[in-house]
Amino acid sequence: SGSGSGSGSVSVSVVPIVLAGFSQGACLALEVAARFPGLVAGVFAPCGARIGQSTEWAAPAGQPLTGVPVLLGAAEADRFIARADLEATAAWFRAAGANVDVVDTQGDRHEITLAQRLRGRSVLTGEPAREGATGFGNVLTSQAIEGAVPALQNTPRLHPNGLYAEQLNATGFTTPRADTHRTWLYRVRPSAQRRELLGFVQPRISATFDGAPEINLCGFAPLELPTDERDFVDGLTTVCGAGSARLRRGYAFHLYAANRSMERRALYNADGELLILPELGALTVMTELGALEVAPGQLAIIPRGIVFSVLLHGPAARGYVGEAFGRRFQLPDRGPIGSNGLADARHFRAPAAWFEDRLAPGFEVVGKLGGALHVATQDHSPFDVAGWHGNLVPFVYDLGAFSPSGNVRFDHGDPSIHTVLSAPLDEQGTHTLDLVTFPPRWDATTGTFRPPFFHRNVTAEINGIIRETAQPGSPFRPGASFVTPSLTAYGVSARAVEHSRTLNDAEADRPVQLGVDSLWFQLESALSPVLTPWGAAHRLPEWSATWGSHPSYFTR
């Protein structure tokens, strides 16, 4: 501000400010922004709307809020704010030129959600959200505030920000350096502040695979979306697995279906590494090291021991989870393919450090060890890591970035040429769990039966469908899964064989692009899967009949 020369006039310079409020405070912030747009640099207003009836609001004069970020949102059944009022508020601010972000959540709780706090940070600071570093297997560093990660030491006596140094290691101390995986975290409060872990029952999660392996082909319909309240932990269902989590050898295959975000609960898995493949609904996987945005067609890798919460972007979410009890997932060797192709390490993105110093009495942390679940409470948010460095890091990867290889002259390649990740066993050429994907690709083989060949494979296969245009009544639809046991014969349908045989040579040899409108995956293992009680009870009847009866074409 300043005074004029002799005239008594006063000129005032206005510095735009960010308005923030919750509930009634959010309503006031929005009303001030609407009436005095020149004062506003941003609005953070969860669980709020403009005051009065929308029919009483004057239309904005031009677009006085051009480019101003405005965050709105509430629970879908929040009884303190009408959905129509929130939608009308969003429409008014968009008409005024604002960049409106509506971050809703499920349920009826009147609160500021973790997703709103994540997105709102940019509104409040005026700084865009930072992207995490890339590079699968690299030693990475990320810090949310300058100096959070010490430049030289891992455990300085006095951290300049008063942070606690905490190491998380997923391998033994004397593991060879190339196989060592650990991360140092610098956090507001230590994880040791949790209370005692007590037993926690979720009846659909299994870790005992002591029965006889399944020998027949079997299929499973997509999980029904829940009608009761279920978050990611509540919504997990184990279909099959092998080995033992207690012995750290083997795997489990789960499905999930959820309709609630993990707002007051987090999970860590001491049994192994998790591979999350959404089929319906995008997720924010909030980890101690930062947030990962994971949509259908992408995957998230959550290492052993990392604490995380799963937040839903929509009213419901569904997908698949592979769990490797033994060695970690790694990129497969390319062999004769050379130095390029398949999954590239640079396409795997780690989270950027993000933290909150927030008290949260009664916050639950669920731990899984030896297949059993336990739960402890703590009085603060577990997402208080201001900086970290190491190679025990979660990643997100877009399966659309996979560069497939294939036969380009004749014959059908093995599915292993589409391997994205591999969790190996100790024996050469075997694996606990391999992830194989079937992305868009060209088939230019000639004189070849192009559908997948009939096969008896020593490796067991678990198949899932993320994207597919299914015919009415087809069991092969998104969310479905099916298991092919070791050395059990299988192949394509009789109809596919007949179609291939009736093509003329020109049609049969024409190059075609496959997988354009679909996305399937396989989890392959040298260990034979054992169905859980849930899996045995929910297998589709007469699955082997799905493939039809194959006539003889034999002639002499």
Side-chain angles (χ1 to χ4, degrees), residues 285-315:
V285 181
M286 184 64 204
T287 78
E288 295 177 277
L289 277 58
L292 297 174
E293 303 297 330
V294 192
Q298 300 175 325
L299 63 84
I301 303 171
I302 310 298
R304 187 193 310 269
I306 293 284
V307 174
F308 69 99
S309 294
V310 176
L311 311 178
L312 279 57
H313 287 204

Side-chain angles (χ1 to χ4, degrees), residues 171-346:
T171 50
F173 294 136
T174 58
T175 301
R177 180 184 285 254
D179 298 322
T180 295
H181 295 98
R182 66 92 166 97
T183 289
W184 279 96
L185 306 93
Y186 299 91
R187 60 193 322 147
V188 177
R189 297 174 181 84
S191 299
Q193 199 164 316
R194 293 174 197 147
R195 296 181 175 87
E196 181 182 4
L197 286 152
L198 304 173
F200 177 87
V201 177
Q202 205 280 50
R204 290 174 298 278
I205 295 179
S206 299
T208 301
F209 307 111
D210 297 331
E214 177 57 46
I215 197 169
N216 287 304
L217 305 176
C218 51
F220 303 90
L223 278 184
E224 295 290 336
L225 296 177
T227 55
D228 56 335
E229 295 185 6
R230 294 187 188 179
D231 63 17
F232 180 79
V233 174
D234 300 324
L236 281 170
T237 298
T238 312
V239 178
C240 61
S244 169
R246 294 182 182 181
L247 298 178
R248 294 195 173 181
R249 289 295 183 273
Y251 67 91
F253 173 63
H254 315 274
L255 307 175
Y256 72 85
N259 58 7
R260 291 292 185 273
S261 294
M262 295 172 64
E263 288 292 343
R264 290 162 297 282
R265 176 189 282 176
L267 169 69
Y268 73 88
N269 183 24
D271 287 336
E273 200 155 70
L274 296 177
L275 183 67
I276 301 175
L277 292 151
E279 173 265 318
L280 173 69
L283 309 173
T284 295
V285 181
M286 184 64 204
T287 78
E288 295 177 277
L289 277 58
L292 297 174
E293 303 297 330
V294 192
Q298 300 175 325
L299 63 84
I301 303 171
I302 310 298
R304 187 193 310 269
I306 293 284
V307 174
F308 69 99
S309 294
V310 176
L311 311 178
L312 279 57
H313 287 204
R318 185 173 60 196
Y320 309 88
V321 179
E323 180 181 7
F325 301 146
R327 295 167 65 182
R328 299 187 64 204
F329 286 106
Q330 56 189 245
L331 296 178
D333 290 331
R334 292 186 175 106
I337 294 174
S339 57
N340 299 290
L342 308 183
D344 202 318
R346 70 190 180 100

